[in-house]
Amino acid sequence: MTAKKLFTLAVAAINVLCVMSQPRLRADNVDEVLQAMTLDEKCHLLLGCGMHFNDDAKFPGTAGSSYAVPRLGIPSIYCADGQQGLRMSATRPWDHRDYLTTDFPASMTVASTWDCEAAYAVGKAIGNEVKEYGLDWILAPSMNLMRSPLCGRNHEYYSEDPLLSGMIAAGYVQGVQSEGVAATPKHFVANNQETNRNNNDARVSQRALRELYLRAFEVVVKKGQPWTIMTSYNKLNGTYTLENSELLNTVVRKEWGWKGMFVSDWNAGQNPVLSMKAGNDMLQPGQDRQYKAIYEAVESGRLPMAVLDANVRRVLRLIVKTHSFAQYPYQSQPDLQQHADVVRRVAADGMVLLKNNHETLPLSQGRIALFGNTSYELISGGSGFGGMSTGHYTVSLVEGLRAAGFTVNEQLLKTYSQYLRQANAQLFPHGKPAFTLAPPARPEEMKLSDSLLTQSARDADVAVFTIGRKSGEATDRPKTDFYLTAAEKESLHLLSQSFHKAGKKVVVLLDICSPVDVTSWQDDADAILCTWQGGQEMGFAVADVLSGKVNPSGKLSMTFERSYGDAYADRNFPSEVDDKTLGSMFMWGNNDQQAQPRELQKDIDFTNYDEDIYVGYRYFDSFGKPVAYPFGYGLSYTTFDYSDMKVKKEGGNYSVAVTVENTGKRPGRNVVELFVAAPDSRRLNKPEKELRAFAKTRLLAPGERQTVEMTVTAADLASFNEKKSAWVTDAGVYRFLVCSSAEKVEAQANVRVDKYVAKVHNVLKPKVRLDLLHR
Ligand code: BGC
């Protein structure tokens, strides 16, 4: 054998030995694999591999993935939006199959059930689709607080209250993760407007942060144990959230004890090295400039390897939990029928009955005159990445009502269908766009002719008029969208006159993404049902409630104010900004530098949260301001009685029991809301009362009773004291109030509460002086 051949053989043998001695990733050797990784591999693992919108991706139409390092047995893992269901293209060019996913109810619908098990069922079904289609990780739940009714992503969010938001999100997370799929609560934190979302600086007091905005996430972290959390686009008190070590490392990791992985929102932030230092482990969808910056910072010693290793370790710990790592043999055949049943049930359970004069609802079988464009074009959810890809269906109201045994007025069906065909053709001469972030334009409300009104009032037993509002990502709703248009008001008023003249009733359905004005028109309606947006089975679910097959048990998760501007927070919200580009996500990185230099504008470049802790009912209730419908409100077709309220003190916990009885004639479920009012709340600048626990009964037959129990800890009752940097519950007699809405107390007890103090870090201070509202 020649020397040359010998040398080649020796090199090959060394290579084989090297490969054999390389560790391969397992759940118990993460550190060993980390040690074996090169700097290049580490930098890659911390960045996404781009978006997978194109047809040639493994999962077309999904949001992204992580890098694989095959030599160390590290696979790619795959993530997708979103909130209302797995967002993925329904077709693939290389095979003839359909890859259909389920369109679930929008989040505010889920929250309005006040039922953590409903949220769990939705999360579990979504998690199952993610798993069965071969992905690992869903970019949901979105759970920013509904600080304004105009926020463009309210359809993706749960509530104005942090406890309700956190608990519903925790149900969703537990459901997703029960399928071995990672959930991602987002957008952490204070991403409460879409206008200029990549650069807006949310200026928030430490107290409001702790009691409201962080609180919702604290609840989901502690109860739901999510595997990942997504940071937001905005700045918080001057610093991008993903570049803020106080926020991620000090509060979430040190104080809350969370061990998961932070991922950025897509193309968020400015300085990738700061993100790594702050503990934002993965930057999605990944940019070359980020790779370069991180690599160079480590090489030059500006970014310690130990910091980078901590980030990589958290990514690896996520990877070993996933289905891709376990090579789950997915078949792309989830049980879509079973998931459709979940949609229908949760959509109906989330509907809120706002008004029902003289038992207008439920409707007995009969002839329905359907009015309003939205009656013929239901809005099943919002637009943007929280909405669904094309390919899913929405059961129409006509189909739902017919299946429930109602007759739908044919003349109206024909007239509206013709009108909408023409109006849509004019709005979209080239067909409706497949995807938009902001909601696409909708046809102007059809005008009603006298003959159509007279004829339908004669031929039908009842009129149903649907009002629709759609919101979407990257733009907030303009103030005008809160109100009905002149054409909507006129149609409703005219049909109400004709039907009432004929001795017939008028039902209004609100197929809306967030509260709208009801004060100016509600006298025209005998009943108002807020259907919210119910996903693909919406037509069936609405018919279930209208017919009485389902007795409504939803409660409002957000206050309906009388006019826009009534809430203190409305003063600092971009309600009149018309520049749609301000919300764009396509400001690829380096956000600040790409924005045009200009004088900082209020509510665009920065938003002062001057209302402080007085968001939603905390404001209306504490300052005695009237509302159209309060937080927690919702009627039923039956009635409930509350008795035997008892509070037991066990250690630092207070357990509250109350018996609920169905005193009406129909079976129904009821939500029990426990608010607590602190003594001397005015002097201490505390809200009048705050939601501290809630429960939902099972379906109670007429005359049936159920005792529900809720537990409140001493910590739950604390307020944040900025001077002491501590959670403090003052000793005293507190009123525990069992309520059926923020305005209606059903039973109460006085409870002596002991002092409680828990010190935390003095972090996240605003850099400017805020003009905070005080009671
Ligand atoms: C949204 C996120 C979403 C991401 C990936 C962003 O525009 O804010 O909610 O998960 O895109 O699609």
Side-chain angles (χ1 to χ4, degrees):
M1 198 180 288
T2 62
K4 200 173 162 197
K5 269 193 179 161
L6 261 177
F7 179 73
T8 318
L9 270 179
V11 169
I14 289 169
N15 277 344
V16 169
L17 281 177
C18 281
V19 170
M20 279 170 64
S21 64
Q22 274 169 15
R24 295 191 62 79
L25 184 65
R26 294 191 314 268
D28 61 359
N29 74 344
V30 163
D31 276 320
E32 194 190 342
V33 169
L34 180 61
Q35 292 312 315
M37 290 175 81
T38 63
L39 177 58
D40 168 71
E41 287 166 342
K42 289 178 185 175
C43 292
H44 270 124
L45 198 69
L46 297 170
L47 301 173
C49 311
M51 295 178 92
H52 301 323
F53 285 160
N54 299 342
D55 278 350
D56 54 359
K58 182 170 176 190
F59 301 112
T62 56
S65 61
S66 70
Y67 264 89
V69 185
R71 76 176 183 95
L72 297 171
I74 304 174
S76 282
I77 61 170
Y78 296 87
C79 62
D81 287 298
Q83 190 67 10
Q84 239 182 287
L86 167 55
R87 214 188 132 74
M88 180 176 81
S89 301
T91 52
R92 295 178 186 172
W94 60 83
D95 73 27
H96 62 278
R97 292 180 51 180
D98 281 338
Y99 291 82
L100 293 176
T101 61
T102 305
D103 178 19
F104 288 87
S107 304
M108 80 300 203
T109 316
V110 180
S112 302
T113 64
W114 290 58
D115 181 359
C116 299
E117 282 170 28
Y120 181 92
V122 169
K124 185 166 177 59
I126 293 179
N128 180 262
E129 290 185 17
V130 173
K131 172 181 168 188
E132 293 305 332
Y133 277 123
L135 292 95
D136 302 286
W137 169 22
I138 189 92
L139 303 173
S142 308
M143 52 175 296
N144 293 94
L145 282 203
M146 294 174 170
R147 174 177 174 262
S148 158
L150 301 184
C151 173
R153 290 184 93 170
N154 273 358
H155 61 277
E156 286 190 55
Y157 299 156
Y158 291 125
S159 174
E160 67 188 22
D161 180 81
L163 177 73
L164 183 58
S165 298
M167 292 295 287
I168 295 289
Y172 182 104
V173 167
Q174 285 166 346
V176 167
Q177 295 187 172
S178 72
E179 292 286 328
V181 166
T184 309
K186 65 186 187 184
H187 310 84
F188 189 66
V189 66
N191 185 178
N192 305 102
Q193 69 179 58
E194 289 298 284
T195 306
N196 196 25
R197 64 176 180 168
N198 295 65
N199 279 304
N200 176 262
D201 182 18
R203 297 171 173 175
V204 197
S205 75
Q206 288 173 302
R207 179 173 180 193
L209 269 175
R210 293 280 184 173
E211 291 186 21
L212 303 179
Y213 302 100
L214 289 174
R215 180 86 183 135
F217 283 92
E218 185 178 359
V219 173
V220 79
V221 161
K222 292 186 175 164
K223 293 229 181 307
Q225 302 284 341
W227 297 355
T228 78
I229 294 178
M230 186 190 290
T231 47
S232 54
Y233 283 127
N234 56 291
K235 294 176 196 163
L236 171 65
N237 291 333
T239 308
Y240 284 112
T241 54
L242 63 156
E243 297 172 8
N244 192 334
S245 181
E246 287 187 345
L247 179 66
L248 311 188
N249 285 327
T250 310
V251 173
V252 185
R253 293 207 163 103
K254 269 202 200 120
E255 291 183 7
W256 301 350
W258 186 64
K259 303 250 177 306
M261 180 194 94
F262 277 111
V263 59
S264 71
D265 200 345
W266 266 229
N267 293 309
Q270 190 184 12
N271 184 332
V273 176
L274 284 184
S275 295
M276 291 300 124
K277 288 188 176 167
N280 190 108
D281 311 302
M282 188 181 274
L283 295 170
Q284 282 281 3
Q287 301 168 12
D288 290 345
R289 72 166 190 99
Q290 293 171 329
Y291 174 91
K292 210 164 156 264
I294 297 171
Y295 194 100
E296 284 174 6
V298 176
E299 283 227 303
S300 67
R302 281 177 295 120
L303 176 59
M305 185 63 99
V307 170
L308 203 75
D309 280 353
N311 301 126
V312 175
R313 190 177 291 115
R314 287 188 285 257
V315 176
L316 290 175
R317 284 198 182 133
L318 172 68
I319 291 174
V320 296
K321 292 200 231 178
T322 60
H323 291 302
S324 286
F325 180 73
Q327 298 184 344
Y328 176 73
Y330 59 93
Q331 301 297 318
S332 301
Q333 283 176 336
D335 186 346
L336 296 176
Q337 184 51 53
Q338 194 223 327
H339 298 171
D341 295 344
V342 173
V343 176
R344 181 168 176 171
R345 177 164 56 80
V346 175
D349 276 356
M351 292 182 196
V352 184
L353 183 60
L354 296 179
K355 176 174 178 179
N356 196 18
N357 281 5
H358 311 295
E359 298 188 7
T360 301
L361 294 177
L363 300 174
S364 41
Q365 303 300 298
R367 299 163 302 166
I368 297 184
L370 268 186
F371 291 96
N373 295 351
T374 312
S375 285
Y376 299 91
E377 284 191 342
L378 284 182
I379 306 167
S380 68
S383 60
F385 291 112
M388 296 303 288
S389 311
T390 47
H392 69 271
Y393 62 87
T394 304
V395 173
S396 72
L397 192 51
V398 173
E399 187 183 348
L401 289 172
R402 282 181 175 158
F406 294 103
T407 311
V408 171
N409 184 289
E410 292 290 340
Q411 186 57 39
L412 282 172
L413 169 59
K414 212 161 112 195
T415 314
Y416 271 102
S417 304
Q418 262 169 12
Y419 170 76
L420 288 169
R421 229 184 344 267
Q422 279 165 12
N424 278 315
Q426 261 174 22
L427 276 178
F428 308 105
H430 310 295
K432 272 198 183 172
F435 172 72
T436 54
L437 281 179
R442 304 185 63 231
E444 167 98 3
E445 186 62 39
M446 186 183 90
K447 287 217 171 4
L448 297 169
S449 67
D450 286 345
S451 61
L452 200 59
L453 281 168
T454 327
Q455 206 185 60
S456 45
R458 188 191 59 218
D459 295 345
D461 300 315
V462 62
V464 171
F465 180 75
T466 310
I467 294 166
R469 289 291 180 277
K470 185 165 175 132
S471 55
E473 191 173 329
T475 39
D476 294 308
R477 295 164 68 210
K479 180 171 152 184
T480 43
D481 204 53
F482 179 81
Y483 295 99
L484 266 55
T485 62
E488 284 171 329
K489 262 197 191 164
E490 190 188 71
S491 290
L492 175 58
H493 193 62
L494 291 177
L495 76 90
S496 161
Q497 277 181 333
S498 353
F499 274 72
H500 286 156
K501 208 158 117 203
K504 295 172 181 174
K505 290 187 175 154
V506 175
V507 177
V508 173
L509 303 178
L510 295 177
D511 176 355
I512 52 177
C513 49
S514 200
V516 294
D517 163 48
V518 286
T519 312
S520 69
W521 56 266
Q522 63 173 331
D523 289 346
D524 284 333
D526 300 285
I528 306 174
L529 177 69
C530 179
T531 66
W532 297 121
Q533 297 178 337
Q536 65 185 34
E537 307 298 309
M538 186 156 170
F540 288 141
V542 175
D544 286 344
V545 175
L546 290 181
S547 67
K549 183 175 168 203
V550 173
N551 187 348
S553 61
K555 299 275 191 163
L556 294 181
S557 67
M558 188 179 192
T559 310
F560 274 52
E561 56 190 331
R562 291 163 64 93
S563 307
Y564 180 77
D566 283 358
Y568 202 85
D570 295 345
R571 300 173 190 198
N572 293 306
F573 190 85
S575 58
E576 295 188 28
V577 178
D578 211 18
D579 185 351
K580 301 282 179 239
T581 59
L582 280 171
S584 171
M585 74 170 281
F586 299 106
M587 303 177 70
W588 299 96
N590 232 353
N591 293 327
D592 268 351
Q593 284 170 26
Q594 291 199 6
Q596 292 295 318
R598 58 188 154 84
E599 205 177 306
L600 293 188
Q601 287 179 53
K602 174 181 174 314
D603 304 334
I604 296 179
D605 297 298
F606 64 89
T607 303
N608 291 350
Y609 287 34
D610 285 341
E611 73 284 357
D612 203 20
I613 52 169
Y614 296 108
V615 172
Y617 72 86
R618 285 171 166 78
Y619 172 69
F620 294 107
D621 203 24
S622 308
F623 290 84
K625 302 277 176 197
V627 299
Y629 290 106
F631 173 78
Y633 173 91
L635 302 172
S636 163
Y637 297 154
T638 189
T639 47
F640 295 98
D641 193 35
Y642 303 72
S643 59
D644 285 339
M645 178 177 176
K646 289 194 187 85
V647 185
K648 255 199 297 174
K649 198 168 155 190
E650 291 156 341
N653 293 349
Y654 304 87
S655 64
V656 181
V658 65
T659 301
V660 179
E661 181 180 349
N662 181 348
T663 50
K665 295 194 192 76
R666 289 171 173 271
R669 299 184 71 192
N670 190 25
V671 174
V672 181
E673 304 160 22
L674 179 70
F675 288 82
V676 177
D680 217 1
S681 59
R682 196 172 285 273
R683 190 182 59 80
L684 292 170
N685 190 29
K686 285 196 180 211
E688 182 65 22
K689 60 178 181 296
E690 294 177 87
L691 185 75
R692 297 307 192 194
F694 61 92
K696 191 157 187 175
T697 67
R698 60 175 184 270
L699 189 73
L700 298 177
E704 196 183 351
R705 298 163 147 236
Q706 183 185 344
T707 300
V708 297
E709 287 180 18
M710 294 162 285
T711 304
V712 175
T713 66
D716 293 339
L717 297 177
S719 299
F720 190 73
N721 183 319
E722 291 187 355
K723 286 204 185 99
K724 297 185 179 146
S725 261
W727 288 101
V728 178
T729 307
D730 289 299
V733 176
Y734 286 60
R735 278 178 307 135
F736 280 50
L737 308 163
V738 167
C739 298
S740 53
S741 80
E743 277 184 1
K744 189 145 197 290
V745 178
E746 303 283 354
Q748 57 179 300
N750 287 343
V751 182
R752 180 159 288 285
V753 168
D754 302 331
K755 192 168 175 80
Y756 165 90
V757 180
K759 249 192 124 33
V760 292
H761 296 86
N762 182 9
V763 289
L764 304 172
K765 271 197 188 151
K767 295 199 174 57
V768 294
R769 218 184 127 77
L770 295 168
D771 188 10
L772 297 178
L773 179 64
H774 202 287
R775 264 187 99 184

